[in-house]
Amino acid sequence: IRDMLDYASSDYSAEGRDAGQRCALSDPLQVIHETVEILRHQGVFKQRKLQLELPPNLPECLIPPNHLQQILVNLLLNARDATSADGNIEVRACAQREAVEIAVEDNGSGMSHEQQQAAFDPFFSGGKRGGRGLGLFVCYQQLKECGGDIKLTSLPDQGSCFTVLLPCNITKGKHSA
């Protein structure tokens, strides 16, 4: 409920504004690195192998840095929860034409077709840790507000990959080679 209330009270959720007014710019590489360091410091990846495949630079994205961080924290915690103690989690990022793509992939328990269909619904929790079922819903809403998207691919017992697509600021951003 806290996630839902934070989302509802956010300045960025005001209706009647276009995505450019609701969404501040963020440096996705900086947010990824800061998020990973915070979670490492908290011991989130204990006994798991975390691999980062990141380019030297990416364009700035049209999403507030705290929203991108909240999205990444949720995806990384879900990946941790889906994997066993010796599991693998991979974070990849690249620049597309007018978007930045960030993928969080794990080799964990994966999801059935039914779970995938409900993954972004409010109050759906497929986890074993008793989650509130709001994390992916809030991620989805925050991304949609800024013109972004999130896609899920998963196979039972083989893992899941969440791919975040963020519109980028192609006039001001740092472009990758």
Side-chain angles (χ1 to χ4, degrees), residues 35-53:
T35 303
V36 166
E37 283 310 305
I38 289 169
L39 294 176
R40 272 191 180 142
H41 182 70
Q42 293 178 356
V44 166
F45 305 117
K46 187 189 280 186
Q47 299 177 330
R48 279 149 182 94
K49 180 181 175 188
L50 177 66
Q51 182 177 346
L52 302 178
E53 288 186 24

Side-chain angles (χ1 to χ4, degrees), residues 138-158:
V138 171
C139 291
Y140 179 82
Q141 294 300 320
Q142 288 176 335
L143 287 164
K144 288 298 184 180
E145 281 183 357
C146 293
D149 201 4
I150 186 167
K151 300 190 183 310
L152 166 62
T153 56
S154 184
L155 290 171
D157 301 318
Q158 294 185 32

Side-chain angles (χ1 to χ4, degrees), residues 65-137:
N66 62 323
H67 286 198
L68 180 54
Q69 186 169 61
Q70 182 180 4
I71 291 164
L72 292 171
V73 165
N74 185 64
L75 295 178
L76 288 165
L77 290 176
N78 286 354
R80 187 261 335 253
D81 291 348
T83 56
S84 61
D86 60 344
N88 295 314
I89 300 169
E90 185 176 350
V91 179
R92 297 183 304 273
C94 64
Q96 302 295 336
R97 287 190 174 167
E98 295 181 2
V100 168
E101 182 177 293
I102 302 171
V104 176
E105 186 169 4
D106 66 67
N107 68 341
S109 57
M111 301 170 91
S112 69
H113 178 73
E114 293 78 19
Q115 288 173 314
Q116 290 178 56
Q117 295 298 314
F120 300 104
D121 292 346
F123 306 110
F124 172 80
S125 177
K128 299 171 186 139
R129 292 187 176 228
R132 297 177 299 231
L134 290 172
L136 290 175
F137 170 74

Side-chain angles (χ1 to χ4, degrees), residues 7-62:
Y7 170 75
S9 67
S10 168
D11 290 338
Y12 300 105
S13 66
E15 295 195 25
R17 296 184 189 172
D18 62 40
Q21 291 175 313
R22 283 193 307 265
C23 298
L25 290 173
S26 65
D27 177 346
L29 285 175
Q30 180 180 347
V31 175
I32 291 168
H33 286 295
E34 287 174 358
T35 303
V36 166
E37 283 310 305
I38 289 169
L39 294 176
R40 272 191 180 142
H41 182 70
Q42 293 178 356
V44 166
F45 305 117
K46 187 189 280 186
Q47 299 177 330
R48 279 149 182 94
K49 180 181 175 188
L50 177 66
Q51 182 177 346
L52 302 178
E53 288 186 24
L54 305 172
N57 54 53
L58 288 169
E60 289 180 313
C61 294
L62 295 169

